[in-house]
Amino acid sequence: MKNKALFAWERISLRAKLTALSVGLIGLLLSVSSAGTVALLSTYLQRNTDTLLIATAQTLRDSNPLRLEFQVSSGTLTLPPLPSDYYIAILDADGNQYLGLVSATGGGRTTPNFSSLTKEVVAATAGIPFEVELRDESGQEMAWRIVAVELTRANGSVVIALPVTGNRQIIAEYGNIGGRFGMFLLVLSGLSIWLTITSALRPLKEVERTAAAVKSGKFSSRLVERHGKTELGRLNGALNSMLDSIEGAVRGKDKTLDQMRRFVSDASHELRTPLVTVRGYAELYRMGAIKKPADVKEAMERIESEAIRMSALVESLLTLTRMDEIGNLNLEKHDLAEISQRVLADIGVTNQSVKFELENQAGTPVMVEMDGDRIKQVLTNLVANASRFAPSDSTVTVALEAEAELARIKVIDHGEGVPEMFKDKVFDRFYRADTSRNRETGGSGLGLAIAKSIVTAHNGTVFVERTPGGGATFVVELPLTQPVKP
């Protein structure tokens, strides 16, 4: 049963829950307030009545009972302002009524029966007001508020009585009015709370719609920015930040998938050609088409050449994979001028149609905290790329610059240069400006991608710009001191 009640409560909407709880709390407060007010009013009316009764009794107890009626009627006896329905009785010691006085507006009203108020009973009350149910002469019971005190000038007592029906009617009427007004306030507050909560929770509908849009694939959907430090403002800001992260992650995933597809496609294309060449020569040899020693030698040389190219391609792919890992650098202090000189010497041996020169504009050794082997590989790739596209008898220059916290390497050639539209693409894997994929003018398309990965791992940047007079200048910027990795 408890679980069913809990389940039923959980199925109620938040708006209904908040409204019901708020209205219930307001109803409880109104009830407590009304009960307290009625209790205070009742106490106040009773205290006023008691004050009048006691004051009147103290005035009449010292009066002459024989002259009391004349004094009251003639106005020579000043009494407190009693309500119009008072009753004054003079009783003897046995409780028999000797004199009874009613208000001037009493007009034929029945009088209470005080036969039980003997002198002993009156003495026991000690002049304290009390409430009793007394029968009148017709036998009907009425509630009276009474003060009875002994007379000082006669053997008897004086009794002042006021019916409490008026006070009770006032309290009952106040309770009825308070109840009706409380119900009106409860309905009005319930409607106001319902509208207020509905307005306050309306932005949650927007959250629901945005979540549905994101679920359907519209990751650019956002909530309306709400200014201020309200709960909804902070909620919308947090959700928008979360949606930004989700959109970024999805875009990153899509970009990674696109890169992976392109990577696999290009790698397959690059590996297919040497494999086809190797397979072709092998089949020709198996079918006996290659018999002459010279032809066999040529076939073996071609097979070896393609195998070397495939090995270089695989090695480049492995290098890129390793550079994607964090903490794979051996950082030490190295002189960029010395490394650049060795690179130019090595490439100058294999390409003698181009001149190579080093310009150390810093004038002193450029010491950088770096992985020497990796940076040498970067320079080798950049210089080899420049020499490949440089015209014969032109010069490829490596210029070194040093600033306060930055070392700059420029590899300058005077070839055709890189078109503006391709400047951001030349560092992509397998990208080559030569779309014909002619092996005589380009490599595998991984050299610049490897260079960018290595430079990025050193917290540096690499980019290409136009050489004045024509050509391309590849610029590598490295911080002189590498930050300590956690």
Side-chain angles (χ1 to χ4, degrees), residues 422-478:
F422 296 140
K423 284 186 177 181
D424 295 332
K425 297 182 178 180
V426 293
F427 296 100
D428 292 346
R429 298 179 180 184
F430 292 110
Y431 177 82
R432 290 182 302 179
D434 184 7
T435 56
S436 65
R437 295 184 181 270
N438 187 347
R439 290 334 185 267
E440 295 177 0
T441 61
S444 64
L446 291 175
L448 295 181
I450 293 174
K452 181 179 180 180
S453 297
I454 295 174
V455 172
T456 301
H458 282 78
N459 299 306
T461 57
V462 58
F463 56 91
V464 61
E465 58 186 18
R466 182 175 180 80
T467 301
T473 298
F474 285 84
V475 182
V476 176
E477 295 180 341
L478 296 173

Side-chain angles (χ1 to χ4, degrees), residues 214 217-222 239-259:
V214 173
K218 299 178 181 178
F219 297 104
S220 60
S221 301
R222 293 293 183 274
L239 290 177
N240 283 337
S241 298
M242 182 187 69
L243 291 175
D244 290 339
S245 300
I246 293 175
E247 184 180 12
V250 172
R251 287 183 176 179
K253 183 197 70 173
D254 294 340
K255 182 178 180 181
T256 301
L257 290 176
D258 291 340
Q259 291 176 343

Side-chain angles (χ1 to χ4, degrees), residues 53 56-66 68-69 72 77 79 82 85-103 109-119 122 130 134-135 137 144-152 154-162:
L53 291 173
T56 304
Q58 295 297 329
T59 301
L60 294 178
R61 69 181 300 179
D62 298 327
S63 300
N64 186 353
L66 299 177
L68 182 60
E69 185 175 6
V72 172
L77 181 63
L79 295 177
L82 290 170
D85 52 355
Y86 68 85
Y87 185 82
I88 300 174
I90 302 297
L91 307 179
D92 60 17
D94 297 326
N96 297 317
Q97 184 170 311
Y98 169 74
L99 177 66
L101 299 176
V102 297
S103 63
R109 185 188 58 196
T110 57
T111 59
N113 184 1
F114 299 124
S115 60
S116 61
L117 296 177
T118 62
K119 188 176 181 179
V122 172
F130 59 95
L134 296 177
R135 295 182 182 272
E137 296 175 351
W144 294 82
R145 191 72 176 174
I146 295 175
V147 170
V149 295
E150 296 181 67
L151 293 170
T152 58
N155 187 19
S157 57
V158 60
V159 179
I160 298 90
L162 284 175

Side-chain angles (χ1 to χ4, degrees), residues 316-381:
S316 297
L317 292 175
L318 290 175
T319 300
L320 284 173
T321 302
R322 295 191 190 101
M323 292 311 303
D324 288 338
E325 299 175 358
I326 300 176
N328 199 31
L329 298 177
N330 182 21
L331 299 178
E332 294 179 354
K333 285 282 188 178
H334 293 278
D335 182 8
L336 278 178
E338 181 181 346
I339 293 177
S340 300
Q341 189 63 51
R342 292 203 303 266
V343 170
L344 293 178
D346 293 341
I347 296 180
V349 174
T350 59
N351 190 345
Q352 299 181 359
S353 63
V354 178
K355 299 178 182 178
F356 299 94
E357 66 177 11
L358 174 65
E359 294 182 1
N360 186 0
Q361 299 177 4
T364 58
V366 182
M367 303 301 297
V368 178
E369 189 173 357
M370 60 185 176
D371 188 324
D373 293 335
R374 298 296 186 187
I375 296 301
K376 180 181 179 182
Q377 187 177 4
V378 170
L379 288 176
T380 300
N381 289 344

